[in-house]
Every structure is written in structure tokens, then in C-alpha cells.
Amino acid sequence: MKKAEIPLIAIGGVLIILLTLVWFFGISPILKIKANAQEAQKILAESKQALGEKNLIYLKGKTEEISSLIAHTQDVSKKLAWLKIIPRIGGYYQNGKLALESADYLSQTAILTIEAISPYADILGFENGQEATSSGETTQDRIQFLLESSRDLASKIDNIHQNLNLANDKIQKMNPQYLPDEFQGIKLKEKFDQIKETLDQTTQLVGGSKPILENLSYFLGKDEPRTYFVLFQNDAELRPSGGFLTAYAILKVDNGQPTPLLSQDIYDLDSRLNKRITAPRPIKDYLPKVYYWNLRDMNLSPDFKVSMENFYQYYQTIPRVHEVDGILAVDTQFLADLLSVLGPIGVPGWGTFSDEADDRCFGCPQVIYELEMLADKPISEFRTDRKAVIGPLMHSILLNAMGASAEKMPKIFEALITSIEEKHILFYFPQEDKQRAVEGLNLAGRIKETGEDYFHLNDTNFAGAKSNMFIDETVEQKITIDNDGSIIREVKVKYQNPAPPSDCNLESGDLCLNGLYRNWFRFYVPKGSALLEMKGSEVEPLVYEELGK
């Protein structure tokens, strides 16, 4: 062999070694990661289908598959660790590492969650591959089971919440500067903020569920009966916390069994309030001929806790009222949602109520029209208890719901969760620890404290009959950042009422639903903001601070 050939052979050998290393520590891992990503998308699509079909066993299998795939991808990605020393490319590597770690924690969260909810699969409407444990059981039976197992379920929340926190922490550490615009058809940069926000909200939600489960025995009267003041908010006549306080009921809950004790018009309470409370400014300014602050108008704050603190303070001064452990507020939509599951319900002495569309109010649920007619239609005979229908109606709904068969339980649960999410049910407790529990799960209708941007529009019907049944409201927002870094938010609110006006002449005896609308509207924005201009109001805007906004 010639001496000149030796360096060439050496160089060739080195190149082969380098190419092998590049393949082993570069190309091969990247190809495997790409293949794993494609496989993960396939499994996630199948998981989504399993979730839609509510097949818990199949979903658990797919979750375990994705967990194994993530573990394998993490092992493969270790061969790319050398990339972190390369400028800029190292940023992409670090983001990928954090994303995989977050995905690992999330897959463990999913497995733990499936194991935790398996005993309640029937309530949630899931198929768990076993003979239904609730066959022949009623909603009341399953509430008893939930009461007995709630503390065990609360203990399982800790591990789920811990994994979510760890997943959230990894996502928050990712640098959006080192994200590809698109990966496997997913526009990562566009979705990154949404992913962070969703994961952050989910983490808070799961964390907030533990205090509720720990206090479930208290709320449902397992050890001793609880008494609740149930306020009916008529959302056809909007008020700051959700609707005009038109009626109330007293509800006893004993070991999970609810029983209405009485039902009255809210005016009954006002007539027994032995105080003349000076009306606050908004009522003096915008509610004609009302000179005092009545209980029915005390939900002036959009923060339900603030409104109920005022209400409860004066409620306690009324002679011979029930002592209550908490206040629940429900509206017409909550009743309609339950009737959509239970079907038409007869209430002795009051008639039949359903969620069927009623032409008399342009397609609103029949129960809503009937309640409005009972409350407000002029009648020849004098009847003081017309709004007291709420108690008997609630009683009939509760009896039907508690005795509902296993087949209806998932839909009842779904209707309840939807009503809570959409704020058709709100909770207030005078006890600080119970109040913290409901606030942790966002059940208390609070105006939140936040260091971030904030916008809340609040409407108050200070005249206009029940016209909120017909008004369509749309909100458009445009946000621009000025040269000096300040944020300018332009908001357009459009109110449309396509329904013809009602005959609101009391002497004619018709039902006055759609009247001339007078709306007191408020925008809550971060403290320190400045109002630049407002158009469309009949009065000059008033700028002031309230609720930290």
C-alpha cells in the first residue's frame, strides 16, 4: 500500500464514522420522532372518537398507547441532546424536550383521571365495558353513592392535580420564539397561547374540585340537614347578577334528599322588612318612583358574592325567617334545561310545564312563558301567591329528577354542569371556607382579580318589561397597540329586538313582555384605564372605580 493511500483511507474511515454518528445521533432519531408524531396523531384521533362515543375502556387503552409512545420518543430524543449547544437550534431542542415532558405528565393525568371516574361512568354517560352498576338505580341512589365515595375521590384529585401542575409548568417554560410555525399540520405558534391558557384553566379547575368534593357531605346534608335559600332570577328581565329577583323558596337537603319547605313572592319578604333603606345612586337615577332599596333590587353588583352579602345582611333582620346555610340562585334557563331532559311535568294547582317551543313568545320554552303569565298577567281575581309557583314547580322537578332512571342520569348531570358553566346556577355561603370552596370551582359568580387585561359588560333592565327574552346582543372588539405601548380597545355593542311590542296597557289585560327597553350598562376594565369616547347612550358616561376595576 502506498503511503499516500493511508491518509485517504483514514479520512474515509473518519467520514464513515461521522456519517454513522450523524445517522445514529441525528437523522435516525429525527425520522423516528417524525414517525412517532404521525402515530401519535392517529392515536389521538382514535382517542377523540372514543371520547365522543364515551367508550371508557377503549379510551383508557388509547391513553396507555400514547403514554408508551411518548416514553419511547423521550428515549429517542436523548440522542439529539448534543443539539442544545448549537445556537438557536438549541432553543428548538429545549422546547421539544419541554413539550415531551409536558405530554408525559398529561398522559399520566389522563390515565389517573380515567381510573378515578370509572366508578361514576354511568353518571357521566360512559360505557365502561362492565355490566352497569346503576341498573335499576335512580338518581337518588347514585347521589348516595357519590356521598359515600366523595372523600376517596377527593384524595385521587391530588395526584391528578400534581401531574397537571407539572405539565403546566413545562408548557409555561417553553419559549414561543423557538417554535416552528407549523408541525404535522398543526399551526403551533398560532395555537400556543391557546394551549397555555387552556392548560392553565384546566389546572385551576381540577385544583378547585377537591374542596368541593371534601365539602360535599356538608353541602348535601350527610351528617345533618342543610337549609338553603333559593332565589329565582328572572333572566327575561336582566339584573346585574343574572335577573330580577322575583321569587324565592326554602329548600332542605337531608342526606342528599332535597325537599322544598315553602315558596313565596319576593314582595312578601320586602313587605316584612322593617327598614327604610335609602336607595343607592343607580336606583335613584335610573329606576323611577323607587325611593328605597328593596330586597328585590339588592343584586346591584355583578359580583354575586357582593350582592348576596347585602341581601343576606338585611334578610337576617326580618322576623321569623328561616335560618339558612347558603343561598342558591337559579334562572328560567336552568328550569328549561332540566325539563328538556325530564319531559313535561304536571304541577298540582298550576298546570303542566315543558321546554317545548311556545309561539306566544316567538319560540321561547313554554315553561318560561307560563311563569311570566302567572307572575305578570293582569287578572280579575286577587291572588297574592302567583309567583309562589316556583316552589311547587321545583318540587315536581326535583321529585322527577331524583326518581329518574339510570338512562336519564347522564343527561341530568350534563344539564346541571351546563347550567353551572353558563352561570344559570350561582352559590353564596356566609361561611368563609364554604365560600372559598365554591369560588375555587368558579361557581360563585365573582368579578375576578387579575393582573391581566379584563373586560366585562353588564346589562341591567331598569324598564322594558321582559324584553330580554327577545333582544339579541352582539359585542365586537378591536384591540390595537399604540406607538407608546398603550392598548386601545374599541368595543361595539349592538342590541336588536325583532319582536313586535306587547300591549302594555294594564287595562286591556294583555301580558306585557316586550316593552320599551331602558338599559343601564357598565363596562368593567382594568383600573387605571381611560375612557376616550362613548357614543350611543342617552346619558353622559360616569367613570368610577368598583370591584378593583
Side-chain angles (χ1 to χ4, degrees), residues 27-45 65-80 100 103 183-184 186:
I27 297 173
S28 178
I30 290 171
L31 290 176
K32 285 180 181 178
I33 290 171
K34 184 178 179 182
N36 283 358
Q38 291 171 340
E39 179 66 16
Q41 278 190 308
K42 175 175 171 287
I43 297 172
L44 286 172
E65 278 184 44
I66 199 105
S67 180
S68 298
L69 193 62
I70 291 167
H72 177 253
T73 306
Q74 283 180 306
D75 287 339
V76 172
S77 68
K78 290 175 183 177
K79 296 175 182 177
L80 296 172
L100 277 172
F183 181 74
Q184 295 291 312
I186 301 170

Side-chain angles (χ1 to χ4, degrees), residues 349-400:
W350 298 97
T352 300
F353 299 87
S354 75
D355 78 315
E356 295 173 4
D358 196 314
D359 292 338
R360 294 172 295 177
C361 53
F362 303 93
C364 78
Q366 180 261 4
V367 61
I368 294 177
Y369 183 84
E370 289 296 330
L371 289 175
E372 300 300 348
M373 187 170 67
L374 285 167
D376 294 324
K377 184 176 175 63
I379 55 176
S380 55
E381 72 272 16
F382 180 72
R383 185 173 182 181
T384 60
D385 63 345
R386 292 199 294 163
K387 294 182 182 179
V389 62
I390 298 300
L393 176 58
M394 278 181 51
H395 192 203
S396 295
I397 288 176
L398 287 170
L399 282 175
N400 279 267

Side-chain angles (χ1 to χ4, degrees), residues 215-510:
N215 284 284
L216 198 63
S217 293
Y218 176 92
F219 294 142
L220 295 182
K222 184 175 184 291
D223 300 320
E224 60 177 289
R226 301 295 166 198
T227 305
Y228 295 104
F229 187 98
V230 183
L231 267 172
F232 180 69
Q233 297 197 105
N234 189 344
D235 47 324
E237 184 178 346
L238 278 180
R239 289 297 173 93
S241 69
F244 178 63
L245 306 180
T246 185
Y248 74 97
I250 301 297
L251 183 72
K252 184 179 78 170
V253 181
D254 187 0
N255 200 27
Q257 176 68 48
T259 305
L261 300 180
L262 67 87
S263 177
Q264 293 287 346
D265 191 321
I266 196 70
Y267 289 85
D268 167 73
L269 273 186
D270 274 329
S271 67
R272 294 160 56 194
L273 181 63
N274 298 323
K275 289 182 181 292
R276 295 276 190 169
I277 308 163
T278 303
R281 179 196 58 80
I283 290 178
K284 288 179 180 177
D285 289 352
Y286 307 130
L287 203 53
K289 299 180 182 179
V290 177
Y291 309 107
Y292 301 103
W293 201 12
N294 297 301
L295 287 167
R296 60 184 178 270
D297 295 323
M298 282 192 177
N299 58 340
L300 272 185
S301 176
D303 188 304
F304 186 67
K305 178 175 183 276
V306 174
S307 282
M308 289 304 101
E309 283 175 338
N310 283 321
F311 184 93
Y312 185 64
Q313 170 191 348
Y314 292 110
Y315 169 78
Q316 289 179 296
T317 68
I318 301 174
R320 298 181 301 282
V321 294
H322 284 77
E323 291 186 11
V324 297
D325 296 294
I327 297 176
L328 282 68
V330 300
D331 63 16
T332 57
Q333 190 59 51
F334 172 62
L335 300 177
D337 287 346
L338 285 178
L339 288 174
S340 70
V341 177
L342 299 171
I345 285 178
V347 182
W350 298 97
T352 300
F353 299 87
S354 75
D355 78 315
E356 295 173 4
D358 196 314
D359 292 338
R360 294 172 295 177
C361 53
F362 303 93
C364 78
Q366 180 261 4
V367 61
I368 294 177
Y369 183 84
E370 289 296 330
L371 289 175
E372 300 300 348
M373 187 170 67
L374 285 167
D376 294 324
K377 184 176 175 63
I379 55 176
S380 55
E381 72 272 16
F382 180 72
R383 185 173 182 181
T384 60
D385 63 345
R386 292 199 294 163
K387 294 182 182 179
V389 62
I390 298 300
L393 176 58
M394 278 181 51
H395 192 203
S396 295
I397 288 176
L398 287 170
L399 282 175
N400 279 267
M402 290 298 114
S405 61
E407 292 75 24
K408 285 188 176 181
M409 277 190 283
K411 290 184 177 180
I412 293 173
F413 182 79
E414 186 179 335
L416 183 64
I417 293 300
T418 299
S419 287
I420 288 173
E421 287 179 345
E422 296 179 356
K423 302 294 185 287
H424 301 303
I425 309 175
L426 296 171
F427 300 84
Y428 165 73
F429 287 89
Q431 308 93 324
E432 288 186 12
D433 60 328
K434 310 307 176 192
Q435 179 67 20
R436 279 197 304 271
V438 294
E439 286 184 19
L441 209 52
N442 199 22
L443 308 177
R446 302 300 311 273
I447 295 291
K448 291 187 175 181
E449 295 181 12
T450 175
E452 300 175 354
D453 195 10
Y454 190 91
F455 174 76
H456 172 88
L457 166 61
N458 193 264
D459 291 310
T460 300
N461 183 345
F462 266 155
K466 305 300 182 285
S467 48
N468 293 112
M469 292 172 65
F470 312 104
I471 291 173
D472 292 322
E473 182 176 351
T474 56
V475 181
E476 295 179 8
Q477 300 187 61
K478 178 183 177 183
I479 298 175
T480 56
I481 301 177
D482 212 350
N483 293 331
D484 62 358
S486 59
I487 298 171
I488 299 174
R489 184 193 292 261
E490 181 183 346
V491 181
K492 292 182 180 179
V493 186
K494 186 176 183 180
Y495 301 88
Q496 287 180 292
N497 189 341
S502 300
D503 179 0
C504 290
N505 183 353
L506 293 178
E507 293 181 0
S508 68
D510 285 335

